[in-house]
């Protein structure tokens, strides 16, 4: 499972979309357990991830001025679940530093990521990354019950 997570981060870090597509399952869930942020709630499906979420995030940066997931460290691995911490380095389009630290909880099945819980400093993201960016409407709002998507994935 560790290899899939390493491939995910390598693809994000290098901007290798085909490699990222290879590790994301069609029925993928992104769960952002935060309230009232640009990314909050549950986002369903590989197509939503690539057609809405990634353009929303990467539209707030110049790729040459920021390195998403510049470093990562896997901190736990148990069966289908891998927990990792990743760090960004760089400047967003707002002109502010966006040196973010993420905690990611991956669920992996048959060589692909089927669910990802992403936690991050939302105050930093709102201030430095998002600027005046509109929230991306989730498929489901934030609730503890959203974790059932992760458990069933």
């Amino acid at each position: 499972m560790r290899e899939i997570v390493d491939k995910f981060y390598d693809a994000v870090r290098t901007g290798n979309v085909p490699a990222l597509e290879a590790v994301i399952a069609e029925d993928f869930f992104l769960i952002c357990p935060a309230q009232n942020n640009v990314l909050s709630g549950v986002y369903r499906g590989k197509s939503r991830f690539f057609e809405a979420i990634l353009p929303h995030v990467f539209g707030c940066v110049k790729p040459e001025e920021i390195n998403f997931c510049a470093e990562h460290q896997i901190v736990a691995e148990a069966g289908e679940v891998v927990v990792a911490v990743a760090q960004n380095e760089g400047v967003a389009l707002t002109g502010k530093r966006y040196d973010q630290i993420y905690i990611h909880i991956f669920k992996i099945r048959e060589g692909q990521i089927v669910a990802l819980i992403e936690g991050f400093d939302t105050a930093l993201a709102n201030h430095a990354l998002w600027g005046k960016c509109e929230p991306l409407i989730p498929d489901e709002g934030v609730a503890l019950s959203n974790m059932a998507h992760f458990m069933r994935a």
Side-chain angles (χ1 to χ4, degrees):
M1 302 302 165
R2 172 181 298 267
E3 302 80 29
I4 302 302
V5 171
D6 288 337
K7 287 179 183 179
F8 171 86
Y9 286 123
D10 288 343
V12 170
R13 184 174 21 261
T14 61
N16 186 339
V17 174
L20 189 57
E21 287 175 335
V23 297
I24 301 291
E26 288 297 326
D27 56 351
F28 173 75
F29 283 93
L30 174 64
I31 304 166
C32 297
Q35 296 281 356
N36 303 319
N37 291 292
V38 173
L39 289 181
S40 296
V42 177
Y43 302 89
R44 284 194 194 111
K46 182 177 188 170
S47 62
R48 181 97 197 264
F49 183 70
F50 284 97
E51 295 168 14
I53 295 165
L54 289 184
H56 211 65
V57 173
F58 287 100
C60 295
V61 299
K62 288 182 186 173
E64 64 275 6
E65 293 183 9
I66 196 161
N67 192 355
F68 277 96
C69 301
E71 295 182 53
H72 74 278
Q73 191 169 71
I74 294 172
V75 296
E77 184 176 8
E80 299 176 323
V81 177
V82 177
V83 179
V85 177
Q87 183 173 341
N88 289 352
E89 299 171 345
V91 178
L93 287 179
T94 61
K96 297 174 181 158
R97 295 236 20 118
Y98 187 59
D99 298 331
Q100 180 67 271
I101 295 183
Y102 297 92
I103 183 152
H104 288 136
I105 306 171
F106 297 88
K107 179 109 177 240
I108 301 166
R109 187 166 292 135
E110 297 177 11
Q112 290 190 306
I113 301 165
V114 293
L116 172 61
I117 300 171
E118 181 175 80
F120 54 94
D121 180 342
T122 56
L124 174 62
N126 289 339
H127 175 75
L129 179 65
W130 302 124
K132 296 180 181 180
C133 190
E134 289 295 317
L136 186 60
I137 304 301
D139 297 305
E140 290 179 48
V142 169
L144 186 58
S145 61
N146 295 151
M147 296 309 134
H149 294 299
F150 186 87
M151 301 305 290
R152 288 191 303 260

